[in-house]
Amino acid sequence: MGTSSSRDRLETSDSDEDYEDDQEQEEQEEEEDEDQRSRTPGSSSSTSSKGKFETPTGTSSSLDNIDAKLKALKLKYATNNNNNNPSSQNPNDVKNAVKLYLHIGGNTPKAKWITSEKMASYAFVKAEDLDSDDEDEFGKEKERDFWVLKVGAKVRARVGTDMQLKMFGDQRRVDFVSKGVWAMKFFTNEEYREFVTRFQDCLFENIYGVEATNESKLKIYGKDFIGWAKPEVADDSMWEDASDGFGRSPGSAATLVRGNHDLREEFEEVAEGDGIQSLTLGALENSFLVGSSGIQVVRNYSHGIHGKGVHVKFNQGGNSRFVSSSSLGDSTHSTPKKGLLMRGETNMLLMSPVNEGKLHSRGLHQLDIETGKIVTEWKFEKDGTDIMMRDITNDSKGSQLDPSESTFLGLDDNSLCRWDMRDRKGIVQNLATASTPVLHWTQGHQFSRGTNFQCFATTGDGQIVVGSYDGKIRLYSTSSMRQAKTAFPGLGSPITHVDVTYDGKWILGTTDTYLILICTLFTDKDGRTKTGFEGRMGNKISAPRLLKLTPLDSHLAGANNKFHGGQFSWVTEGGKQERHLVATVGKYSVIWDFQQVKNSGHECYKNQDGLKSCYCYKTVLKDESIIDSRFMHEKFAVSDSPEAPLVVATPMKVSSFSLSSRR
């Protein structure tokens, strides 16, 4: 994996003349083969047991027999009797004609495109399938018909985002994944446009279960967000006008400097115990590797994190034991899946799921980092009833640095709350409860049993962004937390992780197959620029941008590997702008330049239809699946780097990389 530009230049740009040359060569080869067979004793072209090609007699059917024999010899004259061999036809005579290519060689030096079919025909067809996410009110799966793309005899793929379709309008070409990496080359611009439009309509119907009409799109997205369905009518000005603290021009010095930086590995630390479950970065002296046997403390440096030799062991007796009591679960030992730093990074809240494979927890443990002991065991409870949480986070970005911090946020499928640690039993303040307005799905889908919250994050001043299973992203302000100020519609894929910039102007949502970057800025009726946390955005909403892997890189990452943990680099000071975005997929960390993604004149966005998708990124490859990839706090950036080090954690190692000047 790596930047996509080199792979996009692999030659597939043959012309129609090339096709005609191919046809002549193919026909010439066939004639030579036929001539060779005629000279071979016993060949079917010279004698036949049925006498098919015997010299005709002077009967009334003589001309017909001669004509049949000439056709059988495949002599070059016009014929319409070749429908069973599309590769021998003219593109104008084949419906939905394309040339089909297959990529071979992976990312090796021998990688190349080869012609799979010189002339193939594609079609979108309906096929019955069982969608495990489409359930009726009794929880039973329902059968649905889905659009499937068929190309020749070699490709059959259900139309979806996992195809990772990438458009090359200037080449009349699309690339996609379907048990391999394929490219389709169209013979005219009109045919290319027709395919792209049809593909997008089929994708919409597969996702939402309704036909891709203007009326259904209006119902799905709402009139304020119609630009998400029709990006060409969206207000894109905010992407250019947003203040970012450094040059916006594609040719600015700041952009060029950042473009001349490479990833350089600084440290690699072997994990102690039985491995790493999660990574907790600190902004002060230490960071922490949380595993099933304990917490390994590492030191923060300007070039990454490095071992400190301190390891807080679980189950070692005394108050340092990490034991689940009856109030938090039945097991005697539970592996923490998340560690949250608090109180000037002197304490850590450890959250463990009740059941393996589930995120929900009945409570958490509070670790005093200075003494290495579990000092308190907390239980989630409201109105005398035990409840569970699926995630926790700090009240605001950077609040872990506040020594007096005593509250934090909790999230469950249908609730958002604040917990107060000053009361031993825990005090919960409702921010948004199950009484929050129900999210309406469109025709063909069932109403959800709640909001289906999945993940959340906070801004520098404590405003909250929440991602949901249906793909919706809601913004809650600090002053009105029972009802979202803004609810961005989903694109059909569940949001598995969400992050927000310190200033609240940009949101990054993670799905299995792409990242979605949203601008929250809008201009109110008085001409003032605000964010969607502060007021209703109305119809002044920009279309989002997508961050994707190229089809080849997506295929190399593995069919079962999904994006996770997409987030911005880490700043905790007003006026500072995050510079990069990072996400993890399989054995790869993928890094985008934030300013490049925002730039509407970026090369990736040319010759695209629909939402703008950025494919320019750098990657880090490890020899095992990556647990997390995160940038350290901005204070650890050095003079020769535009960014603080990137920390990449795998189950048995943690590595640090600097975006350093080329040497």
Side-chain angles (χ1 to χ4, degrees):
M1 292 176 71
T3 55
S4 62
S5 57
S6 62
R7 303 212 174 91
D8 292 347
R9 294 298 96 201
L10 290 173
E11 282 301 324
T12 64
S13 55
D14 49 88
S15 63
D16 294 338
E17 287 78 8
D18 294 329
Y19 163 75
E20 293 171 358
D21 292 341
D22 291 340
Q23 287 298 97
E24 287 188 21
Q25 181 179 357
E26 186 180 63
E27 290 171 353
Q28 181 178 354
E29 291 171 352
E30 290 175 346
E31 290 176 13
E32 292 174 351
D33 290 343
E34 192 64 41
D35 184 59
Q36 179 66 32
R37 285 195 297 270
S38 68
R39 296 191 181 101
T40 304
S43 70
S44 61
S45 60
S46 58
T47 58
S48 170
S49 59
K50 296 183 180 179
K52 182 177 181 181
F53 297 126
E54 292 177 355
T55 303
T57 61
T59 63
S60 61
S61 61
S62 297
L63 293 178
D64 291 338
N65 291 336
I66 293 173
D67 186 61
K69 181 176 180 180
L70 291 175
K71 287 182 180 180
L73 291 174
K74 300 181 181 178
L75 295 179
K76 294 175 62 176
Y77 68 98
T79 177
N80 293 322
N81 190 27
N82 57 1
N83 292 329
N84 293 327
N85 184 17
S87 64
S88 66
Q89 301 182 41
N90 187 288
N92 295 327
D93 298 332
V94 179
K95 184 178 180 181
N96 298 333
V98 294
K99 192 167 184 177
L100 183 65
Y101 297 85
L102 175 66
H103 191 275
I104 62 173
N107 59 357
T108 68
K110 295 184 178 180
K112 63 179 180 179
W113 292 96
I114 61 172
T115 302
S116 177
E117 294 187 33
K118 293 181 179 179
M119 181 75 67
S121 178
Y122 78 84
F124 291 99
V125 297
K126 276 287 188 76
E128 288 188 0
D129 200 348
L130 200 61
D131 186 358
S132 59
D133 294 328
D134 187 16
E135 298 180 349
D136 63 18
E137 59 182 330
F138 301 106
K140 297 180 179 179
E141 294 174 337
K142 302 188 302 180
E143 288 186 354
R144 277 184 57 190
D145 289 340
F146 292 91
W147 286 109
V148 172
L149 172 64
K150 296 178 66 177
V151 188
K154 298 181 180 179
V155 175
R156 179 182 173 90
R158 174 171 158 177
V159 175
T161 58
D162 55 349
M163 288 180 65
Q164 299 288 3
L165 187 97
K166 183 179 181 182
M167 306 172 195
F168 300 87
D170 57 336
Q171 300 181 47
R172 305 192 308 271
R173 160 190 163 200
V174 295
D175 295 0
F176 61 93
V177 178
S178 176
K179 298 179 181 178
V181 182
W182 304 88
M184 292 168 57
K185 181 72 180 298
F186 300 83
F187 294 96
T188 68
N189 288 327
E190 292 73 19
E191 291 169 339
Y192 167 80
R193 294 293 173 190
E194 182 180 354
F195 171 86
V196 169
T197 300
R198 185 64 177 139
F199 180 89
Q200 291 173 333
D201 288 346
C202 291
L203 178 62
F204 181 92
E205 187 170 340
N206 276 1
I207 289 174
Y208 299 108
V210 293
E211 189 177 350
T213 63
N214 289 333
E215 292 76 14
S216 60
K217 290 178 181 179
L218 186 62
K219 289 180 180 179
I220 293 289
Y221 296 104
K223 60 182 179 63
D224 291 340
F225 293 90
I226 197 62
W228 289 43
K230 297 181 177 180
E232 64 275 8
V233 305
D235 181 5
D236 213 31
S237 61
M238 284 301 179
W239 289 89
E240 291 300 322
D241 297 339
S243 174
D244 55 23
F246 43 80
R248 290 192 297 269
S249 171
S252 68
T255 302
L256 291 175
V257 169
R258 289 197 309 279
N260 288 330
H261 283 75
D262 287 332
L263 285 163
R264 183 182 70 211
E265 187 167 12
E266 302 287 356
F267 295 133
E268 183 175 85
E269 186 75 16
V270 178
E272 297 183 17
D274 53 0
I276 302 170
Q277 296 280 351
S278 64
L279 172 68
T280 302
L281 291 182
L284 299 178
E285 182 178 323
N286 301 317
S287 288
F288 308 88
L289 312 177
V290 182
S292 58
S293 62
I295 300 175
Q296 184 177 347
V297 183
V298 289
R299 186 72 176 267
N300 293 331
Y301 295 96
S302 59
H303 292 295
I305 64 175
H306 200 43
K308 193 177 179 181
V310 177
H311 195 182
V312 179
K313 298 286 187 180
F314 297 145
N315 271 344
Q316 296 299 309
N319 291 329
S320 64
R321 289 185 302 166
F322 189 71
V323 180
S324 295
S325 65
S326 58
S327 63
L328 300 184
D330 298 327
S331 62
T332 59
H333 178 68
S334 180
T335 302
K337 296 298 183 184
K338 181 165 187 176
L340 184 70
L341 290 171
M342 293 190 65
R343 294 181 175 175
E345 299 189 352
T346 62
N347 281 245
M348 181 186 293
L349 300 181
L350 295 165
M351 190 172 184
S352 304
V354 174
N355 299 313
E356 191 67 29
K358 299 290 185 179
L359 298 176
H360 300 78
S361 175
R362 294 193 178 99
L364 45 83
H365 295 81
Q366 182 180 346
L367 171 70
D368 186 312
I369 294 172
E370 295 177 343
T371 64
K373 298 181 182 296
I374 300 294
V375 294
T376 310
E377 181 183 294
W378 297 94
K379 183 173 69 171
F380 297 125
E381 181 181 297
K382 182 178 183 295
D383 299 330
T385 303
D386 291 349
I387 61 176
M388 291 196 292
M389 295 279 106
R390 68 178 296 129
D391 200 5
I392 56 175
T393 195
N394 297 105
D395 280 342
S396 65
K397 278 189 185 293
S399 64
Q400 68 191 59
L401 302 175
D402 182 1
S404 62
E405 181 186 24
S406 60
T407 61
F408 62 94
L409 299 175
L411 183 80
D412 196 27
D413 296 6
N414 304 313
S415 62
L416 176 64
C417 60
R418 174 174 285 113
W419 294 98
D420 192 329
M421 296 173 61
R422 288 173 294 190
D423 186 320
R424 184 169 178 79
K425 295 182 179 179
I427 300 174
V428 64
Q429 303 170 7
N430 287 331
L431 304 187
T433 67
S435 62
T436 300
V438 174
L439 306 176
H440 291 280
W441 293 55
T442 59
Q443 181 182 0
H445 294 263
Q446 298 295 321
F447 289 108
S448 64
R449 295 181 175 85
T451 49
N452 280 322
F453 291 152
Q454 299 289 300
C455 48
F456 65 157
T458 52
T459 66
D461 58 2
Q463 298 174 112
I464 308 165
V465 54
V466 183
S468 299
Y469 183 80
D470 60 2
K472 287 184 169 62
I473 293 178
R474 298 173 178 81
L475 310 185
Y476 294 90
S477 72
T478 55
S479 60
S480 179
M481 300 179 184
R482 291 184 60 85
Q483 184 172 345
K485 285 287 187 180
T486 301
F488 294 100
L491 297 178
S493 299
I495 303 296
T496 60
H497 190 272
V498 71
D499 196 16
V500 59
T501 55
Y502 187 83
D503 58 19
K505 296 178 180 178
W506 308 93
I507 293 169
L508 183 65
T510 304
T511 75
D512 289 348
T513 53
Y514 59 85
L515 308 182
I516 177 172
L517 182 64
I518 298 172
C519 178
T520 70
L521 294 170
F522 73 102
T523 303
D524 68 10
K525 61 182 180 180
D526 299 322
R528 294 175 297 182
T529 299
K530 295 181 177 179
T531 70
F533 293 98
E534 302 169 297
R536 301 284 180 181
M537 296 181 70
N539 59 0
K540 302 292 185 179
I541 298 172
S542 303
R545 295 188 179 170
L546 305 182
L547 282 66
K548 296 181 178 179
L549 294 179
T550 64
L552 177 57
D553 284 347
S554 177
H555 179 64
L556 293 175
N560 297 322
N561 289 317
K562 304 172 182 178
F563 273 123
H564 63 89
Q567 51 199 5
F568 298 98
S569 50
W570 188 11
V571 303
T572 57
E573 183 179 340
K576 291 291 186 70
Q577 179 66 69
E578 295 81 353
R579 292 179 177 269
H580 288 89
L581 311 99
V582 62
T584 300
V585 55
K587 298 179 181 180
Y588 298 93
S589 294
V590 190
I591 305 109
W592 282 267
D593 184 301
F594 189 18
Q595 182 59 25
Q596 191 175 59
V597 174
K598 289 189 288 185
N599 178 16
S600 294
H602 177 44
E603 186 70 23
C604 272
Y605 302 144
K606 298 178 181 179
N607 301 303
Q608 287 191 9
D609 291 82
L611 296 175
K612 290 183 173 68
S613 298
C614 183
Y615 296 91
C616 286
Y617 45 77
K618 295 179 182 291
T619 57
V620 172
L621 170 64
K622 303 301 291 183
D623 55 4
E624 56 182 341
S625 294
I626 296 173
I627 292 172
D628 202 358
S629 308
R630 296 183 58 186
F631 281 100
M632 296 178 66
H633 191 270
E634 59 176 341
K635 65 182 287 185
F636 295 105
V638 292
S639 59
D640 70 336
S641 173
E643 190 62 270
L646 173 71
V647 178
V648 178
T650 65
M652 298 310 299
K653 294 178 182 178
V654 59
S655 304
S656 301
F657 296 83
S658 289
L659 288 168
S660 302
S661 297
R662 290 177 178 170
R663 296 175 176 177

